[in-house]
Amino acid sequence: MSTAFHEDSSTSVLRRMKEGGFDFAQFHPIEFYAIFPDEERARMAARNFRGESLNAQVSAREDGAWHLQISKVMYATHAGIGAFEHDLESIVVPLGGILDGWGVTQEVKASVAR
């Protein structure tokens, strides 16, 4: 995937998050996704992402491919997300995988009925 695509899609997502009231001042677990043709390569990639603020999970997909989900606790910034995607891509692509985007769960504050 080209870097321009990541920047364009990330900019759009971050803009929508801002419009939705996302709290950019807090750390959040941001999920990054990749797809691999087999479990072995997905697990090889996952081994590169272990640590205090990282979590990696590998799971089978219905189509026979394997899904890698990396969760990184960080600020949701364009530069931070872009840098992590770049690092992830440098591990994923040589193993025959492809990046499959990123996401973050936004907490919705309940309004109080009166």
Side-chain angles (χ1 to χ4, degrees):
M1 290 187 174
S2 75
T3 304
F5 172 78
H6 291 303
E7 290 173 359
D8 291 343
S9 63
S10 289
T11 299
S12 175
V13 170
L14 290 165
R15 185 179 315 108
R16 288 192 313 258
M17 288 165 57
K18 183 177 181 181
E19 291 166 357
F22 187 83
D23 185 358
F24 287 95
Q26 299 292 320
F27 286 110
H28 297 275
I30 301 184
E31 312 296 335
F32 296 87
Y33 308 102
I35 300 170
F36 290 87
D38 58 57
E39 181 180 12
E40 181 182 354
R41 288 186 262 188
R43 293 203 181 277
M44 286 174 64
R47 284 192 283 273
N48 289 279
F49 297 98
R50 310 247 173 183
E52 185 176 313
S53 64
L54 292 167
N55 181 31
Q57 297 179 353
V58 173
S59 58
R61 292 173 26 131
E62 290 182 14
D63 64 1
W66 286 80
H67 188 251
L68 171 63
Q69 176 182 325
I70 306 288
S71 178
K72 179 175 171 69
V73 177
M74 60 188 286
Y75 288 112
T77 66
H78 192 274
I81 290 167
F84 190 79
E85 279 188 312
H86 182 269
D87 292 345
L88 179 60
E89 187 172 44
S90 71
I91 292 169
V92 167
V93 171
L95 292 172
I98 58 169
L99 294 185
D100 195 33
W102 64 271
V104 62
T105 301
Q106 181 170 337
E107 292 182 26
V108 178
K109 297 180 181 175
S111 59
V112 178
R114 294 182 186 229

